[in-house]
Amino acid sequence: MSLTQRFSLDVILRWLCLSLLSVSFATKSEVRPERLLLTTQPWRPYQYQENGEMKGPGIAQIKCVMKEMQQPYQITMTSWDRAQILIEVGEQHGFFLASKNGIRDKFADYSSSVMTQTWSWYSLSDSIDTQDPMFKKEVAVTALFGSNKWFWLQKQGYRVEKKPRRPTAMIELLLAGDVGAVLANDFVMEAAICELGVSHRAISKTRAKEKTLGVYFSKKFTKQYPRFLNEFNQAVAKCKEL
């Protein structure tokens, strides 16, 4: 092989290496966003702000997952309905903690379960039978406005007449007689009852169902980063083992 041929071959090999390296860097950069943008609602005791710091088991779980993935992130707290709109229009990448439903499935992809929740009926009388067909027709009920529970009540044909935006507001509606029953998350409702200083004996509880809580990522985001959701779910599983 002549010197000219060797030089040409060396140039070609270097060019190929640089090209492959460029492709590798490009591929790597497409796997993850530089900063993951997450939004949520103040939802005691799962997630809330205190003295400028975000706290709660929901925040702790997300932090664990982000640490496991070594993923830079930013969490913004806003109202629940606005959080979902921000995902739908593409201004944020994901929202949490959320339960799965068909409306959200249209614009976002659901992660594996980060936590679980129990839905229960709360009322001022233990004589209310939530299984009675007349309960659905005659008793005014509500849930947190914009939540999966609120939309589920609407879809199932219950008499949903109020739009409370805070857990304590649901209890106040009960105490005022504006609604006969509230469908709520046990963990959230117990914290709200304690916050208002209401006696637990004054409020009856009937367990309704269990639901998972996870993170919804916009379909635009999961399309741009097709490996991300799987890596996120793997990190969730590891955090549950800790």
Side-chain angles (χ1 to χ4, degrees), residues 1 3 25 31 40 42 54 62 79 82 90 98 108 114 123 125 150 174 176 195-196 198 213 223 226-227 232:
M1 183 181 292
L3 185 61
F25 279 132
V31 172
T40 187
M54 292 189 186
I62 295 299
S79 64
R82 186 169 186 272
V114 175
S123 66
S125 172
W150 196 86
L174 270 179
E195 184 180 342
L196 288 178
V198 178
L213 291 170
K223 184 177 181 181
R227 302 180 188 176
F232 181 90

Short mmCIF file of all heavy atoms in Angstrom, two decimals, residues 1 3 25 31 40 42 54 62 79 82 90 98 108 114 123 125 150 174 176 195-196 198 213 223 226-227 232:
data_model
loop_
_atom_site.label_atom_id
_atom_site.label_comp_id
_atom_site.label_asym_id
_atom_site.label_seq_id
_atom_site.Cartn_x
_atom_site.Cartn_y
_atom_site.Cartn_z
N MET A 1 0.86 -1.20 0.00
CA MET A 1 0.00 0.00 0.00
C MET A 1 0.89 1.24 0.00
O MET A 1 1.81 1.35 0.80
CB MET A 1 -0.90 0.01 1.24
CG MET A 1 -1.87 1.19 1.29
SD MET A 1 -2.88 1.18 2.80
CE MET A 1 -3.88 -0.27 2.52
N LEU A 3 2.05 5.30 0.33
CA LEU A 3 1.90 6.30 1.39
C LEU A 3 0.62 7.11 1.20
O LEU A 3 -0.08 7.42 2.17
CB LEU A 3 3.12 7.23 1.39
CG LEU A 3 3.18 8.27 2.52
CD1 LEU A 3 3.22 7.57 3.87
CD2 LEU A 3 4.40 9.17 2.34
N PHE A 25 -23.49 10.93 20.37
CA PHE A 25 -23.86 12.07 21.20
C PHE A 25 -25.27 12.53 20.90
O PHE A 25 -26.03 12.87 21.79
CB PHE A 25 -22.89 13.23 20.97
CG PHE A 25 -21.60 13.08 21.74
CD1 PHE A 25 -20.37 13.27 21.11
CD2 PHE A 25 -21.61 12.73 23.08
CE1 PHE A 25 -19.20 13.14 21.82
CE2 PHE A 25 -20.43 12.60 23.79
CZ PHE A 25 -19.21 12.80 23.16
N VAL A 31 -32.32 10.89 24.42
CA VAL A 31 -32.89 9.95 25.38
C VAL A 31 -33.56 10.69 26.53
O VAL A 31 -34.62 10.29 27.02
CB VAL A 31 -31.78 9.02 25.93
CG1 VAL A 31 -32.33 8.18 27.08
CG2 VAL A 31 -31.26 8.13 24.83
N THR A 40 -47.60 20.00 39.63
CA THR A 40 -48.50 19.31 40.53
C THR A 40 -49.37 20.33 41.26
O THR A 40 -49.23 21.53 41.06
CB THR A 40 -47.72 18.46 41.55
OG1 THR A 40 -48.64 17.67 42.32
CG2 THR A 40 -46.89 19.31 42.50
N PRO A 42 -50.97 21.62 45.17
CA PRO A 42 -50.83 21.48 46.62
C PRO A 42 -51.91 20.50 47.09
O PRO A 42 -53.10 20.76 46.90
CB PRO A 42 -51.09 22.90 47.15
CG PRO A 42 -50.90 23.80 45.98
CD PRO A 42 -51.33 23.00 44.79
N MET A 54 -40.82 22.23 49.26
CA MET A 54 -41.83 21.24 48.90
C MET A 54 -41.64 19.98 49.73
O MET A 54 -40.54 19.44 49.82
CB MET A 54 -41.74 20.90 47.41
CG MET A 54 -42.14 22.04 46.51
SD MET A 54 -42.29 21.54 44.79
CE MET A 54 -42.60 23.13 44.01
N ILE A 62 -40.97 11.27 44.04
CA ILE A 62 -40.48 11.84 42.79
C ILE A 62 -39.00 12.16 42.89
O ILE A 62 -38.22 11.91 41.96
CB ILE A 62 -41.29 13.10 42.41
CG1 ILE A 62 -42.74 12.74 42.11
CG2 ILE A 62 -40.65 13.81 41.21
CD1 ILE A 62 -42.93 11.78 40.96
N SER A 79 -52.76 25.08 40.36
CA SER A 79 -54.06 24.42 40.54
C SER A 79 -54.08 23.14 39.71
O SER A 79 -53.37 23.03 38.70
CB SER A 79 -55.20 25.35 40.12
OG SER A 79 -55.12 25.63 38.73
N ARG A 82 -55.21 23.58 36.01
CA ARG A 82 -54.19 24.27 35.22
C ARG A 82 -52.99 23.36 34.97
O ARG A 82 -52.38 23.40 33.88
CB ARG A 82 -53.72 25.54 35.93
CG ARG A 82 -52.76 26.38 35.07
CD ARG A 82 -52.52 27.76 35.67
NE ARG A 82 -51.72 28.57 34.78
CZ ARG A 82 -50.39 28.59 34.77
NH1 ARG A 82 -49.72 27.84 35.64
NH2 ARG A 82 -49.72 29.34 33.92
N GLY A 90 -48.38 21.47 26.13
CA GLY A 90 -46.96 21.22 25.93
C GLY A 90 -46.01 22.14 26.67
O GLY A 90 -44.81 22.14 26.41
N ALA A 98 -51.40 11.47 40.00
CA ALA A 98 -52.68 11.38 39.30
C ALA A 98 -53.13 9.93 39.20
O ALA A 98 -52.31 9.02 39.15
CB ALA A 98 -52.54 11.97 37.90
N ALA A 108 -51.92 12.29 27.26
CA ALA A 108 -50.74 11.94 28.04
C ALA A 108 -50.64 10.43 28.26
O ALA A 108 -51.63 9.71 28.14
CB ALA A 108 -50.76 12.67 29.39
N VAL A 114 -46.82 4.97 41.35
CA VAL A 114 -45.84 5.55 42.27
C VAL A 114 -46.30 5.34 43.72
O VAL A 114 -45.52 5.04 44.61
CB VAL A 114 -45.66 7.06 42.00
CG1 VAL A 114 -44.74 7.71 43.03
CG2 VAL A 114 -45.10 7.28 40.60
N SER A 123 -69.60 11.16 55.14
CA SER A 123 -70.90 11.79 55.38
C SER A 123 -71.04 12.07 56.87
O SER A 123 -70.21 11.66 57.69
CB SER A 123 -72.03 10.89 54.90
OG SER A 123 -72.08 9.70 55.68
N SER A 125 -73.74 11.09 58.50
CA SER A 125 -74.63 10.07 59.05
C SER A 125 -74.18 8.69 58.61
O SER A 125 -73.90 8.46 57.43
CB SER A 125 -76.07 10.31 58.58
OG SER A 125 -76.91 9.23 58.95
N TRP A 150 -63.99 13.53 40.91
CA TRP A 150 -65.06 14.45 40.50
C TRP A 150 -65.61 14.06 39.13
O TRP A 150 -66.82 13.99 38.92
CB TRP A 150 -64.53 15.88 40.47
CG TRP A 150 -65.59 16.94 40.44
CD1 TRP A 150 -66.23 17.50 41.50
CD2 TRP A 150 -66.14 17.55 39.26
NE1 TRP A 150 -67.15 18.43 41.06
CE2 TRP A 150 -67.12 18.49 39.70
CE3 TRP A 150 -65.91 17.41 37.89
CZ2 TRP A 150 -67.85 19.27 38.81
CZ3 TRP A 150 -66.64 18.18 37.01
CH2 TRP A 150 -67.60 19.10 37.47
N LEU A 174 -70.02 19.57 53.80
CA LEU A 174 -70.71 18.54 54.57
C LEU A 174 -71.35 19.13 55.83
O LEU A 174 -72.52 18.90 56.11
CB LEU A 174 -69.72 17.44 54.98
CG LEU A 174 -69.50 16.24 54.06
CD1 LEU A 174 -68.48 15.32 54.67
CD2 LEU A 174 -70.80 15.51 53.78
N ALA A 176 -72.14 22.13 56.51
CA ALA A 176 -73.20 23.11 56.23
C ALA A 176 -74.45 22.46 55.66
O ALA A 176 -75.48 23.12 55.50
CB ALA A 176 -72.68 24.16 55.25
N GLU A 195 -56.88 19.25 60.28
CA GLU A 195 -56.60 20.67 60.08
C GLU A 195 -57.74 21.54 60.59
O GLU A 195 -57.53 22.60 61.19
CB GLU A 195 -56.36 20.95 58.60
CG GLU A 195 -55.97 22.40 58.29
CD GLU A 195 -55.73 22.65 56.81
OE1 GLU A 195 -55.54 21.67 56.06
OE2 GLU A 195 -55.75 23.83 56.41
N LEU A 196 -58.98 21.09 60.38
CA LEU A 196 -60.15 21.86 60.81
C LEU A 196 -60.51 21.61 62.28
O LEU A 196 -61.32 22.34 62.86
CB LEU A 196 -61.36 21.53 59.93
CG LEU A 196 -61.35 22.07 58.50
CD1 LEU A 196 -62.59 21.61 57.76
CD2 LEU A 196 -61.27 23.59 58.51
N VAL A 198 -62.07 18.99 63.43
CA VAL A 198 -63.37 18.33 63.51
C VAL A 198 -63.19 16.95 64.14
O VAL A 198 -62.23 16.23 63.85
CB VAL A 198 -64.01 18.19 62.11
CG1 VAL A 198 -65.34 17.46 62.18
CG2 VAL A 198 -64.18 19.56 61.47
N LEU A 213 -51.74 5.82 41.97
CA LEU A 213 -51.33 7.19 41.72
C LEU A 213 -50.00 7.16 40.97
O LEU A 213 -49.06 6.49 41.40
CB LEU A 213 -51.16 7.97 43.03
CG LEU A 213 -52.43 8.27 43.81
CD1 LEU A 213 -52.08 8.82 45.19
CD2 LEU A 213 -53.31 9.26 43.04
N LYS A 223 -43.13 10.89 22.80
CA LYS A 223 -42.76 10.67 21.40
C LYS A 223 -41.35 11.19 21.14
O LYS A 223 -40.57 10.57 20.41
CB LYS A 223 -43.76 11.37 20.47
CG LYS A 223 -43.51 11.11 18.99
CD LYS A 223 -44.57 11.77 18.13
CE LYS A 223 -44.31 11.50 16.65
NZ LYS A 223 -45.34 12.15 15.79
N PRO A 226 -38.67 8.49 23.50
CA PRO A 226 -39.38 7.20 23.57
C PRO A 226 -38.88 6.23 24.64
O PRO A 226 -39.62 5.33 25.05
CB PRO A 226 -39.19 6.62 22.16
CG PRO A 226 -37.98 7.31 21.62
CD PRO A 226 -38.00 8.69 22.20
N ARG A 227 -37.65 6.40 25.13
CA ARG A 227 -37.13 5.49 26.15
C ARG A 227 -37.41 5.98 27.57
O ARG A 227 -37.23 5.24 28.52
CB ARG A 227 -35.60 5.34 25.98
CG ARG A 227 -35.14 4.83 24.63
CD ARG A 227 -33.64 4.74 24.61
NE ARG A 227 -33.11 4.44 23.27
CZ ARG A 227 -31.82 4.38 22.98
NH1 ARG A 227 -30.93 4.61 23.92
NH2 ARG A 227 -31.42 4.11 21.75
N PHE A 232 -38.15 5.59 33.56
CA PHE A 232 -38.84 6.15 34.71
C PHE A 232 -39.50 5.05 35.52
O PHE A 232 -39.37 4.99 36.75
CB PHE A 232 -39.89 7.18 34.25
CG PHE A 232 -40.62 7.84 35.37
CD1 PHE A 232 -40.15 9.01 35.95
CD2 PHE A 232 -41.81 7.30 35.86
CE1 PHE A 232 -40.83 9.63 37.00
CE2 PHE A 232 -42.50 7.91 36.90
CZ PHE A 232 -42.00 9.08 37.46
#
